[in-house]
Amino acid sequence: MNYHVLVVEDDLGIRETLIDLLYSCGYQVSSAINGKDGWEKIQEINPHLVVSDIMMPVMDGLRLLELVKSSTIYHHLPVLILTAKVDQFTRWNSFTIGADAYVQKPFDAVELLFQINNLLALQESILLRGDMDFDPEIAIKKHSFLSQLNEAIRDNMNESTLDKIAESMNLSGSGLQKKIKHYTSHTFSDYLKRYKLSKAKALLQSGKCNVSQSSQMSGFKNLAHFSDSFKEHFGLPPSKVVVQT
């Protein structure tokens, strides 16, 4: 699917950097210069995902987020907040309103692409299930758990067993399995594989790694297995995703 991403950012340099990065990764990209412009663009183009700054003139990103998540038409639209504001209140307020992800500026291309890939994959699975309900409390709990899980996997990439990840999260193995199943409908092993593949895809899209390097940095010990898994999951070999810089 040719996903359409809307970038809402008032800083010209950052906006153009984001557009170039996303376009080079195969996304269709539109842009807006503030929240008001962004809200109008959302209604005009109906994007698959929004990447928005917070501090903007005319209308800020949090107000745009409120409009999206309170809309009966667009409440399902994933919104990734990209901002230099890193205080705990701003993060918590963003997630309370309904932000689907939060990336700090200056952003790392791998992290940003990883978050975008995951949000789009999650959104596609939600649409396939027909589950369009939104409960802010559940969304906050889910985001908190998945953020902790992703951090635990990242910190234990070379020893990412169920017991090791569960221990780092102060959970039992069975407790971790149940939580993952509850929030994602996947088993631990399936979620871990998807995490590693998404990480590899983000590395390839960033232009920082070749296929072999992305395989190793994503925790795959066998290049052939990685290539087969990547092609099965994304529908094309990893060599077709490499972005030349």
Side-chain angles (χ1 to χ4, degrees):
M1 180 185 293
N2 186 17
Y3 292 110
H4 195 160
V5 178
L6 174 64
V7 173
V8 187
E9 170 63 65
D10 63 315
D11 184 290
L12 176 61
I14 297 175
R15 187 168 67 247
E16 290 187 341
T17 297
L18 287 166
I19 291 171
D20 289 344
L21 174 65
L22 294 171
Y23 182 76
S24 71
C25 295
Y27 295 113
Q28 184 179 353
V29 188
S30 296
S31 64
I33 59 175
N34 56 54
K36 181 177 182 294
D37 186 25
W39 179 238
E40 293 172 354
K41 289 283 178 63
I42 287 171
Q43 297 172 83
E44 175 187 342
I45 66 176
N46 195 23
H48 295 95
L49 181 140
V50 175
V51 177
S52 178
D53 187 18
I54 288 183
M55 295 181 290
M56 296 179 290
V58 183
M59 181 191 291
D60 67 21
L62 292 182
R63 177 54 182 154
L64 172 61
L65 181 62
E66 287 178 341
L67 289 174
V68 171
K69 295 305 181 180
S70 64
S71 167
T72 56
I73 299 174
Y74 301 108
H75 69 276
H76 64 281
L77 178 63
V79 178
L80 184 153
I81 295 296
L82 180 66
T83 181
K85 297 193 72 175
V86 297
D87 61 280
Q88 189 63 34
F89 175 78
T90 300
R91 288 175 62 89
W92 183 253
N93 196 28
S94 299
F95 290 129
T96 300
I97 296 171
D100 297 276
Y102 189 106
V103 174
Q104 181 180 340
K105 291 180 183 176
F107 67 88
D108 176 78
V110 174
E111 180 188 2
L112 179 66
L113 292 168
F114 174 75
Q115 296 279 11
I116 289 174
N117 290 336
N118 280 351
L119 288 178
L120 289 171
L122 177 61
Q123 180 64 8
E124 187 172 334
S125 68
I126 289 173
L127 291 172
L128 288 174
R129 292 198 311 265
D131 179 14
M132 302 299 288
D133 294 331
F134 176 76
D135 184 322
E137 286 191 22
I138 294 176
I140 292 170
K141 289 180 180 178
K142 177 177 181 178
H143 179 272
S144 177
F145 170 72
L146 292 181
S147 294
Q148 293 178 51
L149 176 59
N150 290 344
E151 183 177 353
I153 294 174
R154 185 193 66 214
D155 293 344
N156 298 278
M157 187 67 78
N158 294 321
E159 193 183 350
S160 49
T161 63
L162 172 63
D163 289 340
K164 183 66 175 180
I165 301 302
E167 179 185 0
S168 67
M169 296 179 68
N170 295 316
L171 293 169
S172 65
S174 61
L176 179 58
Q177 282 276 30
K178 288 178 181 177
K179 283 205 165 201
I180 294 175
K181 192 72 174 178
H182 173 70
Y183 285 120
T184 72
S185 299
H186 296 303
T187 63
F188 170 78
S189 59
D190 191 33
Y191 185 89
L192 178 63
K193 183 177 180 181
R194 287 167 178 264
Y195 177 97
K196 290 182 175 182
L197 289 172
S198 291
K199 183 72 172 180
K201 185 180 180 184
L203 286 165
L204 292 170
Q205 289 177 322
S206 72
K208 294 182 177 181
C209 299
N210 59 31
V211 173
S212 178
Q213 291 169 330
S214 69
S215 173
Q216 292 176 355
M217 293 177 67
S218 302
F220 286 89
K221 295 180 172 58
N222 183 285
L223 182 58
H225 172 64
F226 164 68
S227 297
D228 290 343
S229 298
F230 193 99
K231 185 174 182 179
E232 180 182 0
H233 187 70
F234 294 114
L236 72 171
S239 58
K240 296 294 184 181
V241 180
V242 178
V243 173
Q244 302 297 329
T245 56

